[in-house]
Amino acid sequence: IYTRTVNMEEKYNMKLEAVESGETTVVNQLKKFITAGDDAYCAIVSDVYDAGAVAVGGMLYDLHTVDNLDLSQRWWSAMTNDSLSLGNKLYYATGDIFIVDNQATRVFFFNKDIVSDVGLDNPYTLVRENKWTLDTYMGMNEAAAADLNGDGEMDPDVDRYGTMVQPTLGGILYFAAGGHLTAKDENDMPYFACDTADSLEILMGIAETIANSPTINMTNETTINGSEPDNIPRFMENLALFAPEVLKHIETMRESEVDIGILPPPKYNESQEGYYCYADGWCVNVVSIPVTNLNSEKIGFLLEAMSADSLNNLTPAYYEVCLTDKYVRDQESVEMLDLILSSVVMDNANIFSWGGIESAVNDALYKGTAIASVLASKKSAVETAIQKTMDGFLGQ
């Protein structure tokens, strides 16, 4: 990043200054300076949640209209940005200019020692042979779980589970199956998409597989160290075969003695063509340009130049020096990273919290609640929320 800054400043005779907000969320700060007509800031870096909230207020440029920005270039993330576009307008984008979108991608960390001890199939081979599926994953859970202290009860502090994870597992598996909470039509307009026959079949299949399973421990608690969910330190204590989490945790687990491997989330079944790796709006950074900027074409040029430089320098440094040399422990995981980072998807229902559908679906899958009833109860609220968002996006 330092080298990129030097390259930009020397080549284009400019001074690049990053001003930190000092806040976890920056919506209020952004709205305040933009509505006041303050032109002090040329571009904004924020998570997608904040960018979406500001875009609905008409405070950002549609990046498709900014001169010197070419979002079709390979240094922009085409698959992710396509997810972020609404009504053929794109107010914020991501790509090689950041590494956070990579860090935010959901992966399945696994304990290679448990795989060996229990006598399970090599997970990397399962991926290569198109056998890494929901059923395979659940079978491995059941084989790995063990009442280690023999008291007849499963305790996450002392016993070994197949999976330790936050309560978002159901949603991760649904997205991994190619499912959508909301999708987009031929006009790039979002609509409620999870109540189709195909979607319901997948959702019910996931619920039947994971709901109330004694081999899976789901919790949002951060009682062990207060800075990360309890599933991570327990995974590092050999108490779980799988830990589905953001890729960022390969860095926090660097000193762990556990022999860690990395997989994409499993396919729903073998007929599924590709893998889908979910990233949420809380974790992914995007860049946007406030409408107070009167030199958008100049900023467009510099953002394009920064992104191109990042493709050649920042991304290789992060990938080769950080991920593959410092954090990843085997060549097979490097192979998996290639697959994972080319398969990132997002859903606007998450970004805009439309009707609370994401949390409702996660909760239903976790508890085994009748998913069709949950979707029916949420559909009207989601559609109303979508309309409100699109009115803001399209300036109506």
Side-chain angles (χ1 to χ4, degrees), residues 159-223:
D159 295 319
R160 187 175 70 209
Y161 285 77
T163 297
M164 288 191 174
V165 63
Q166 298 183 66
T168 55
L169 176 63
I172 294 170
L173 293 172
Y174 176 59
F175 290 120
H180 302 275
L181 298 174
T182 58
K184 295 187 290 184
D185 64 18
E186 66 277 6
N187 297 314
D188 203 38
M189 298 293 285
Y191 63 91
F192 190 79
C194 49
D195 62 345
T196 65
D198 288 345
S199 296
L200 283 169
E201 179 183 350
I202 293 171
L203 287 165
M204 288 188 291
I206 293 170
E208 291 169 359
T209 302
I210 70 170
N212 304 307
S213 170
T215 70
I216 299 174
N217 177 258
M218 298 195 207
T219 178
N220 267 331
E221 293 181 350
T222 55
T223 59

Side-chain angles (χ1 to χ4, degrees), residues 115 119-126 136 140:
V115 169
L120 299 173
D121 290 336
N122 184 324
Y124 298 130
T125 302
L126 292 173
T136 302
M140 296 175 77

Side-chain angles (χ1 to χ4, degrees), residues 122-381:
N122 184 324
Y124 298 130
T125 302
L126 292 173
V127 172
R128 296 187 191 107
E129 295 181 351
N130 196 37
K131 295 179 180 179
W132 176 230
T133 64
L134 179 63
D135 286 343
T136 302
Y137 158 67
M138 201 61 203
M140 296 175 77
N141 272 320
E142 293 167 354
D147 177 15
L148 297 180
N149 65 356
D151 66 356
E153 298 180 1
M154 291 296 287
D155 181 344
D157 288 324
V158 295
D159 295 319
R160 187 175 70 209
Y161 285 77
T163 297
M164 288 191 174
V165 63
Q166 298 183 66
T168 55
L169 176 63
I172 294 170
L173 293 172
Y174 176 59
F175 290 120
H180 302 275
L181 298 174
T182 58
K184 295 187 290 184
D185 64 18
E186 66 277 6
N187 297 314
D188 203 38
M189 298 293 285
Y191 63 91
F192 190 79
C194 49
D195 62 345
T196 65
D198 288 345
S199 296
L200 283 169
E201 179 183 350
I202 293 171
L203 287 165
M204 288 188 291
I206 293 170
E208 291 169 359
T209 302
I210 70 170
N212 304 307
S213 170
T215 70
I216 299 174
N217 177 258
M218 298 195 207
T219 178
N220 267 331
E221 293 181 350
T222 55
T223 59
I224 295 177
N225 64 21
S227 63
E228 60 189 11
D230 288 349
N231 57 301
I232 293 298
R234 285 172 174 155
F235 175 75
M236 292 191 290
E237 293 171 1
N238 286 296
L239 294 179
L241 170 59
F242 295 112
E245 258 299 346
V246 292
L247 182 57
K248 171 73 175 177
H249 280 294
I250 195 62
E251 302 171 31
T252 67
M253 296 190 292
R254 184 181 182 188
E255 303 303 323
S256 172
E257 295 182 1
V258 170
D259 195 1
I260 300 171
I262 302 174
L263 301 169
K267 294 182 178 182
Y268 185 67
N269 55 38
E270 291 184 21
S271 66
Q272 182 176 318
E273 290 188 7
Y275 287 92
Y276 301 95
C277 305
Y278 174 63
D280 72 53
W282 176 254
C283 301
V284 174
N285 271 2
V286 289
V287 65
S288 56
I289 302 176
V291 293
T292 50
N293 187 317
L294 301 180
N295 295 300
S296 63
E297 70 284 351
K298 181 183 294 185
I299 302 309
F301 177 87
L302 291 172
L303 290 177
E304 190 80 0
M306 288 177 67
S307 298
D309 186 90
S310 300
L311 173 70
N312 296 321
N313 296 300
L314 176 60
T315 296
Y318 171 68
Y319 197 91
E320 296 167 11
V321 178
C322 292
L323 283 181
T324 61
D325 289 351
K326 292 184 179 180
Y327 306 133
V328 177
R329 306 184 183 192
D330 57 71
Q331 191 59 39
E332 290 99 333
S333 284
V334 176
E335 176 189 346
M336 295 299 110
L337 284 172
D338 287 334
L339 187 159
I340 290 165
L341 296 180
S342 65
S343 308
V344 179
V345 294
M346 301 184 73
D347 195 303
N348 282 292
N350 161 261
I351 294 168
F352 295 99
S353 301
W354 285 329
I357 185 63
E358 183 181 28
S359 59
V361 167
N362 276 325
D363 191 59
L365 294 177
Y366 171 40
K367 295 179 179 178
T369 309
I371 189 69
S373 298
V374 172
L375 298 181
S377 70
K378 285 289 182 181
K379 185 172 184 177
S380 177

